[in-house]
Amino acid sequence: MTMPSATIRLQTPDDQQALLCLNECAFGPGRFARTAYRVRERAARDPLLNFCMELDGEIVGALDLTPISVGGVPGALLLGPLIVSGDHQSNGLGLRLMLYGLKQAKDLGYRLVILVGDLPYYVRAGFRPIPLGRMELPGPVDPARLLYAELVPGALEEYSGLIRGMRELSDLGQSAPALAEDAA
């Protein structure tokens, strides 16, 4: 099967309504109660790490990467949501969007990406289970679904503890060490 030709670009304010609809269709209102969503809603968005995918002028996918700290150490990201519209799923678009985002994050100096998801899907992009007890989110999460990918070899060893969103982006274009931790 041939992968459809789609364009990946940064999200703009004009995309917000389409992205809201994509989120609603993919995850419904229950998304607001999920622990990962709660971390993201309190964190600053880095406009260099929020992508959408267009096919024939229509937004068919989106990916957000949110700056986080783990145990107070910055330089990590929380991946999600990753969305591909229902009629465009199973074409490799989600994987393509995710790999693009991971490359951009690495180029910006981030070291580690964490997500809550299904290993059989995310293993294709290099994600593995976080060792039990090494990291925790500030709310309920099935520990088997807490996954990581190193953007820098050995980066996992630098991180352990509570995952929190970063509240400030001091200097866009700089890596996460320029960010302040959300202590609340």
Side-chain angles (χ1 to χ4, degrees):
M1 180 196 293
T2 305
M3 188 182 309
S5 176
T7 303
I8 300 172
R9 63 170 175 78
L10 292 172
Q11 295 175 13
T12 70
D14 292 339
D15 299 326
Q16 293 313 301
Q17 187 59 44
L19 295 170
L20 185 65
C21 289
L22 242 130
N23 256 295
E24 178 64 29
C25 289
F27 301 112
R31 70 188 181 277
F32 298 114
R34 294 181 176 173
T35 298
Y37 184 91
R38 308 303 302 178
V39 170
R40 286 191 298 268
E41 81 174 351
R42 298 184 58 153
R45 287 176 53 100
D46 184 339
L48 299 176
L49 292 170
N50 298 286
F51 308 98
C52 60
M53 178 177 274
E54 285 185 327
L55 186 61
D56 299 325
E58 175 189 356
I59 295 178
V60 297
L63 169 69
D64 289 354
L65 293 161
T66 303
I68 59 170
S69 68
V70 180
V73 178
L77 296 166
L78 181 64
L79 186 149
L82 170 64
I83 309 166
V84 174
S85 108
D87 49 344
H88 295 286
Q89 292 180 358
S90 301
N91 291 335
L93 295 177
L95 179 61
R96 182 172 158 214
L97 185 55
M98 184 173 25
L99 292 173
Y100 180 87
L102 294 174
K103 181 187 180 315
Q104 297 306 308
K106 181 178 181 175
D107 290 349
L108 289 170
Y110 288 91
R111 305 176 61 70
L112 186 75
V113 178
I114 295 166
L115 64 84
V116 179
D118 297 322
L119 182 59
Y121 179 79
Y122 290 100
V123 72
R124 299 176 302 156
F127 283 87
R128 296 179 279 190
I130 292 175
L132 286 178
R134 183 169 192 97
M135 294 179 200
E136 63 181 295
L137 282 161
V141 170
D142 176 355
R145 293 176 44 86
L146 196 53
L147 311 176
Y148 78 96
E150 293 177 320
L151 301 178
V152 174
L156 180 66
E157 294 306 313
E158 302 170 28
Y159 296 94
S160 67
L162 185 62
I163 298 167
R164 292 193 175 272
M166 303 299 286
R167 292 191 332 162
E168 297 177 22
L169 294 171
S170 304
D171 184 6
L172 295 178
Q174 298 242 340
S175 63
L179 302 175
E181 181 180 5
D182 177 5

